[in-house]
Amino acid sequence: VLEGDILVDGGTLVARPGVEVMGNGHQITFINGGSADFQGSETFTWSGEGTDANLSRDVTFSQMSRIMWHEGAGTSVLRYIRVTDSGVSNELGFYPLHWHLNGSTVRGTLVEGVVVDNARNHAFVPHGSHGITFKDTIAKNVTREAYWWDPIDSNDLGSRNESHDITFTHALADGVHWPRELGVQGHHRNSAFFLGRGNGNKVTNSAAINVTGGADCSGFHWPEGYHG
């Protein structure tokens, strides 16, 4: 059980099978080249149209406010772990897995076989961070878009919000919801995959099911003005 936040300032934080972290509302933050090497046991992830999915993992993080790679963090490996009951509802930046304005310092990061479920605020967020691959991932029961990064005009960061060379391959979103009290516009255009601005981004062999919202909600949303 975490009794406070963890700051990884350089170096690598390691997790292997059998590790169970109860965040108790705290966060883990990586800065100045700090990286994660979180690797559970390889297991079946999901198949078909997404109705057959395995959420069980032997490395788990629960009740985290967020796990965040902040400006200048290093390349990480996250394989076959679970992040559950995490994020902070409607709080900017408090997402279960959040890469924040790292540019190319995280290039080569692999997120494989990772489950994020019962997320209170998005799930997988590569924001202004380039060259990250999400493979065989599962986002299950998520509030607001599951796979997402900040729109270009959300906080006056302009092109810094762009993410380049992001790959979502065999990525699943199942159960993505936007309650009306979080904003009518977001509810109206809720999606599982929000494809933000950037170059070289790819989505392949992926699926979105059980997405709810307004008349224009969708599985995959590449909005106007987000050319790349």
Side-chain angles (χ1 to χ4, degrees), residues 109-124:
T109 289
L110 174 64
V111 182
E112 180 180 11
V114 173
V115 173
V116 176
D117 66 304
N118 298 322
R120 300 181 186 94
N121 196 358
H122 301 299
F124 298 94

Side-chain angles (χ1 to χ4, degrees), residues 144-193:
R144 309 206 303 172
E145 300 98 336
Y147 298 84
W148 174 90
W149 61 85
D150 295 59
I152 55 172
D153 58 352
S154 65
N155 47 22
D156 297 323
L157 290 173
S159 62
R160 291 188 69 197
N161 278 340
E162 295 180 358
S163 296
H164 306 305
D165 303 317
I166 302 297
T167 297
F168 299 120
T169 181
H170 201 245
L172 171 67
D174 178 5
V176 182
H177 315 290
W178 188 305
R180 284 182 177 273
E181 57 267 27
L182 297 183
V184 175
Q185 182 177 358
H187 167 83
H188 183 62
R189 306 188 78 179
N190 189 36
S191 61
F193 292 78

Side-chain angles (χ1 to χ4, degrees), residues 78-157:
L78 284 69
R79 301 183 72 242
Y80 300 97
I81 71 168
R82 182 183 184 187
V83 182
T84 184
D85 295 318
S86 296
V88 180
S89 179
N90 212 28
E91 283 289 330
L92 185 66
F94 282 85
Y95 321 124
L97 293 176
H98 180 196
W99 287 261
H100 180 73
L101 298 176
N102 292 283
S104 290
T105 67
V106 295
R107 213 174 254 285
T109 289
L110 174 64
V111 182
E112 180 180 11
V114 173
V115 173
V116 176
D117 66 304
N118 298 322
R120 300 181 186 94
N121 196 358
H122 301 299
F124 298 94
V125 179
H127 169 214
S129 301
H130 313 321
I132 303 174
T133 296
F134 298 85
K135 178 181 180 182
D136 293 329
T137 53
I138 300 171
K140 174 79 171 180
N141 294 330
V142 177
T143 298
R144 309 206 303 172
E145 300 98 336
Y147 298 84
W148 174 90
W149 61 85
D150 295 59
I152 55 172
D153 58 352
S154 65
N155 47 22
D156 297 323
L157 290 173

